[in-house]
Amino acid sequence: MTSPDVDIPTPLQDQVQAYLNHLTIERGLSENTMAAYKHDLKRYLTYLTQEKVCEVSNISTHHVAGFVQALSSGSHHMGQLTETSINRILIAARGWHRFMFLEQTTEENPAVDIKPSNTGLYLPESLSIEAMTQLLEAPSADTAQGLRDRALMELLYATGARITEAIELDVDDVVSLQHGETTVVRLFGKGSKERVVPLGSYAVEALHAYLIRGRPQLVSGGKGSPGLFLNRFGGRISRQTGWNAIKQAAEAAEINVDISPHTLRHSFATHLLQGGADVRVVQELLGHASVTTTQIYTHVTPDTLREVFALAHPRANSA
C-alpha cells in the first residue's frame, strides 16, 4: 500500500527540495539514491499534510514520532512497513530536519531524539563458490545476448561493481585486454567517484568473447553506442535488463534462492575476505566510503569462532 496523493503545501515542498539540492550538489549522491530520498520524504510530507502541518517550523517531536508509528501500524494510509524500511525513511526525515536546523530555517531539530531502532546485524546474502560458478556458466555462449549476459555477470563478480556502475560502462572504460597484461576497469560509483579495479582471467575471457562475437551483432541493430553492454537495439542496457539476465541465469542453473545483482557484489566481498584479503583492500575495491560498511562481511558464525578457537588457542584443549 502506498500513501494517497494529497495537496502538499508549497513551503514544505520547497524546503524539501532545498535539502535534495544540497544532497545532489554538495554530497554528490547518485541518481538512484536521490530517487529513494525523494520518495521517502514525499511519504513524510504526505503524513504531515494529513496532520495539517504546513510549515517545517511547526513540526514537533510528536509529529516525527507519530509518523514512525504510522509507518509501523499502517495508519494514515502509510502501509505497514518492515523495521528496515521504517529506519531508512526515518533516516531521510532526520537528515532533512538536521539540514533545516543547521541552515537556521528552524530553531530546533524535532527529530533529534527519534532514532532508528536497532534491527540487529544484517548479513548480505552471498552464494557459495560452487553456486556462483554454475550461475556464471549458465548463459549460452552461442548467442550475442548470452555472451553479453555472461560477460556482465563475470564483470559484476570479478569487480564487485553495482549494477548501475556496470551498465554505465563504456568500452573505453575497460583498459587492456592484451594477453599477458593486467586488465582493469574504471568504475564510477556514488558521487561520480572513480575507482580502478583489476579483472581476473575469467572475466577477461568472457569480455573478450562478447566484444569479438557478441557486441558487433548488437551494435548493428542501432546507431552506434559507446556503451559496453548493449541491448538488441544497439543501445545501452537498462538496470532491469541486467536484473533479468541474472534471474534467467539463476533459473537455468537451478539456483533456488532469491538472486539480484547485489548478490554478486556480496559474494565478491565475502569470497575475497574468506580467501584472506585485507578488509581495507576490499573497501577500496567496493568503493565504500567507510570501512565500517565493509566490515559487515567479516562476520563469522559462532561455529566458526569455536572452530578457530579450538585450533588456534594454546589452551583450548587439554592434552
Side-chain angles (χ1 to χ4, degrees), residues 48-234:
L48 293 173
T49 302
Q50 292 172 339
E51 290 292 300
K52 312 300 182 184
V53 176
C54 298
E55 295 279 353
V56 67
S57 57
N58 294 331
I59 302 173
S60 66
T61 300
H62 170 77
H63 291 117
V64 182
F67 175 58
V68 174
Q69 178 60 34
L71 293 174
S72 179
S73 65
S75 64
H76 290 69
H77 303 284
M78 289 289 107
Q80 192 168 0
L81 304 178
T82 64
E83 195 168 21
T84 300
S85 296
I86 293 171
N87 282 349
R88 187 199 70 240
I89 296 170
L90 176 57
I91 288 171
R94 280 169 54 87
W96 177 49
H97 282 300
R98 183 174 184 273
F99 175 75
M100 290 289 101
F101 175 69
L102 293 177
E103 291 292 304
Q104 299 183 340
T105 303
T106 58
E107 296 181 358
E108 297 180 350
N109 180 353
V112 68
D113 293 324
I114 311 298
K115 299 179 180 179
S117 62
N118 182 9
T119 58
L121 180 65
Y122 166 70
L123 291 176
E125 292 289 337
S126 64
L127 296 177
S128 67
I129 295 176
E130 293 76 12
M132 179 60 67
T133 300
Q134 294 173 359
L135 179 72
L136 296 174
E137 293 178 352
S140 170
D142 298 325
T143 66
Q145 179 178 321
L147 289 167
R148 178 201 67 196
D149 293 349
R150 180 175 293 197
L152 171 63
M153 290 193 298
E154 284 281 7
L155 184 140
L156 289 172
Y157 178 54
T159 64
R162 303 173 179 91
I163 185 63
T164 301
E165 295 171 344
I167 66 175
E168 290 179 353
L169 284 172
D170 290 338
V171 174
D172 290 344
D173 291 324
V174 180
V175 182
S176 178
L177 285 172
Q178 300 298 318
H179 179 70
E181 295 184 21
T182 300
T183 298
V184 298
V185 59
R186 296 185 302 160
L187 297 170
F188 296 88
K190 295 181 178 181
S192 298
K193 183 179 179 180
E194 179 180 348
R195 67 186 189 279
V196 178
V197 181
L199 288 174
S201 60
Y202 286 91
V204 170
E205 183 180 344
L207 277 169
H208 189 268
Y210 165 63
L211 290 172
I212 297 298
R213 297 191 286 120
R215 191 176 181 278
Q217 294 184 41
L218 297 173
V219 78
S220 65
K223 298 180 180 179
S225 168
L228 178 58
F229 298 111
L230 305 181
N231 58 32
R232 61 191 179 91
F233 300 109

Side-chain angles (χ1 to χ4, degrees), residues 262-291:
H262 246 58
T263 305
L264 279 72
R265 179 171 164 85
H266 296 329
S267 300
F268 164 84
T270 300
H271 296 166
L272 275 178
L273 290 166
Q274 288 176 344
D278 183 88
V279 66
R280 292 196 178 274
V281 173
V282 179
Q283 173 196 356
E284 290 295 324
L285 293 173
L286 289 171
H288 285 159
S290 170
V291 72

Side-chain angles (χ1 to χ4, degrees), residues 1-21:
M1 182 184 297
T2 57
S3 53
D5 290 333
V6 297
D7 188 14
I8 299 173
T10 299
L12 288 179
Q13 293 188 50
D14 291 345
Q15 288 154 348
V16 162
Q17 188 58 52
Y19 177 53
L20 294 175
N21 291 342

